[in-house]
Amino acid sequence: MPPSAASFPRRLARTLRTSLFAQVSVALVLGIVVGKLWPDTATALQPLGDGFTRLIKTVISPLVFCVVVVGIAKAGDLKAFGRIGVKALVWFEIASTAALVIGLVAANVVGPGKGMNVDPASLDTKAVDATTGGGHLPSTTEFVLNALPQSFVGAFAENELLQVLILACLVGAALLHLGHTKVPRILPAVEQAQEIVFAVVGFIMRLAPLAVFGAMAHLVGNYGLGVIRTYAKLIVLCYVAAALFLALLAVALKAVTGLSLWKFLRYIREEMLLALGTASTESVMPRVMQKLRRAGARDDAVGLVLPTGYSFNLDGASLYLSIGTLFIAQAVGVDLSLGQQVTVVLVLMLTSKGMAGVPGSAFLALSATASSLGAIPTGAVALLLGVDRIMDSMRVVTNLLGNCVAVFAVSRWEGALDTDRAKRALDGEDTSQPDDDEGAAGGETGAGMLAAGIPAQKSTAPEELREPAAGAS
């Protein structure tokens, strides 16, 4: 047997043993196979994915708190932090509105629901109630009030990211106000806590393949692959519209920062595959924050823009909601005028902001939109029950990339991005040199504070999983 043939199995085994990307890819394929062949067994595997997501969620709040506090304290400029927040909201509104408009235009051109002639009375609306759990989207006043913490501990216990973000801003501002001479030990303690959280994330990430296997097997076993044929036109339209939106994002990223979205996608390929497998962007937030910091984005920008985007910048959800609204109207034979479609955009601009963390939020937003128009039967929302889970992949990819682009764009806009370091990171080069001393000139103040403890991107998982632990040395 030739040496090359004999070495191939060993190389394959080594890759599966060391590469997180390879492990998750295999788990994804196995999940689909098991879900197809043994659907009854596969539906019982959902706890694998849910358990992993719960573990990750336990570290998100402390991580966001530590990154934001350290970012504000290291940057030393509270006004700059406020500017980052305002610019992020402006970017979010432009991006989400563009996604809504693209979705409406695509649905008008293709008409995915035309010719279905569905009788709304024949639909089972109880299934929608079961999905939403009888909940409702918060009003604007409720949304603002819910963002304000009632207690310091409660915000962390309930994993309310916006409340944690506000607390972190207050603590960071207090550190700046008091100065390092009055609280000399607080900031180092927060930095050390941040390293511990990243170490915990490394441990949890070892379970990622199991989580992807369980989540994918449950999806295929519960919904089957036949739904893809039934809703083929709608599914293809949503994914094509998402691809068009991501192409526009790529152009915007290139124009604003000079960075390549394709290279960035390759840079976070493990995180993207995990997010696709678990249908959750929260499962990869800690790792994505780490990689954005390594790619030259300053800590205060990463800590503020990315978590805020999870509530205010749901580009994938915006695309889906606009296309879904027109699909429902077309399916039941309702022809929406231009004025009514403008109303759809305005309503969705508001309802999409309160979707994060609400069970069945997509159906709640669609129901609210249908009610505001008065022309679409609210029960027609049940038409999307069978296809909604298939759209998770589109929403996850678009939401995650949209928020990452927002971090780079806002960081560049505020002068908080080291573009040279970002290009080196996206090219796979070592960006872990301890060059913090040059932060003021290179836009790395804060972003490079743990650079010495974050090794270069490797092609093998164990090194990546040990990233936080390496910082302790």
Side-chain angles (χ1 to χ4, degrees), residues 28-114:
L28 195 69
V29 174
L30 289 177
I32 295 174
V33 172
V34 171
K36 178 65 176 176
L37 298 180
W38 301 284
D40 293 336
T41 302
T43 53
L45 297 176
Q46 186 179 10
L48 292 177
D50 292 345
F52 176 83
T53 304
R54 288 170 69 96
L55 284 174
I56 285 290
K57 285 183 177 181
T58 61
V59 299
I60 288 178
S61 291
L63 178 60
V64 169
F65 179 82
C66 292
V67 170
V68 172
V69 169
V70 172
I72 294 176
K74 290 281 186 176
D77 186 356
L78 195 58
K79 291 182 179 179
F81 195 74
R83 289 197 304 269
I84 289 174
V86 172
K87 291 174 181 178
L89 292 177
V90 171
W91 180 276
F92 293 160
E93 202 55 53
I94 293 173
S96 57
T97 302
L100 288 170
V101 172
I102 289 174
L104 285 180
V105 172
N108 275 294
V109 171
V110 176
K114 290 182 178 178

Side-chain angles (χ1 to χ4, degrees), residues 20 51-64 66 191-208 274 282-287 290 450 453 462 464-472:
L20 179 63
F52 176 83
T53 304
R54 288 170 69 96
L55 284 174
I56 285 290
K57 285 183 177 181
T58 61
V59 299
I60 288 178
S61 291
L63 178 60
V64 169
C66 292
E191 289 181 286
Q192 291 170 10
Q194 183 176 239
E195 292 184 16
I196 292 173
V197 173
F198 275 127
V200 173
V201 171
F203 299 148
I204 297 174
M205 287 299 295
R206 296 181 184 275
L207 303 175
L274 176 58
E282 287 187 339
S283 65
V284 297
M285 181 193 282
R287 294 260 302 187
Q290 191 177 25
L450 293 178
E464 291 180 350
L465 293 175
R466 289 196 297 266
E467 285 166 2

Side-chain angles (χ1 to χ4, degrees), residues 125-195:
T125 58
K126 293 181 180 178
V128 176
D129 295 333
T131 302
T132 59
H136 69 282
L137 291 177
S139 64
T140 303
T141 302
E142 290 174 333
F143 181 74
V144 173
L145 288 176
N146 289 339
L148 300 176
Q150 297 187 61
S151 71
F152 200 99
V153 176
F156 289 88
E158 297 173 8
N159 214 27
E160 294 287 347
L161 279 187
L162 290 181
Q163 295 183 14
V164 171
L165 201 57
I166 290 175
L167 289 173
C169 292
L170 293 174
V171 173
L175 286 177
L176 284 180
H177 177 70
L178 294 174
H180 297 298
T181 57
K182 293 185 178 180
V183 283
R185 295 184 179 87
I186 297 298
L187 187 57
V190 176
E191 289 181 286
Q192 291 170 10
Q194 183 176 239
E195 292 184 16

Side-chain angles (χ1 to χ4, degrees), residues 100-114 233-234 237-238 241 319 321-328 330 341:
L100 288 170
V101 172
I102 289 174
L104 285 180
V105 172
N108 275 294
V109 171
V110 176
K114 290 182 178 178
K233 194 173 183 180
L234 175 62
L237 175 61
C238 285
L319 266 172
L321 290 174
S322 56
I323 293 175
T325 301
L326 261 67
F327 168 79
I328 293 170
Q330 293 165 358
Q341 293 190 31

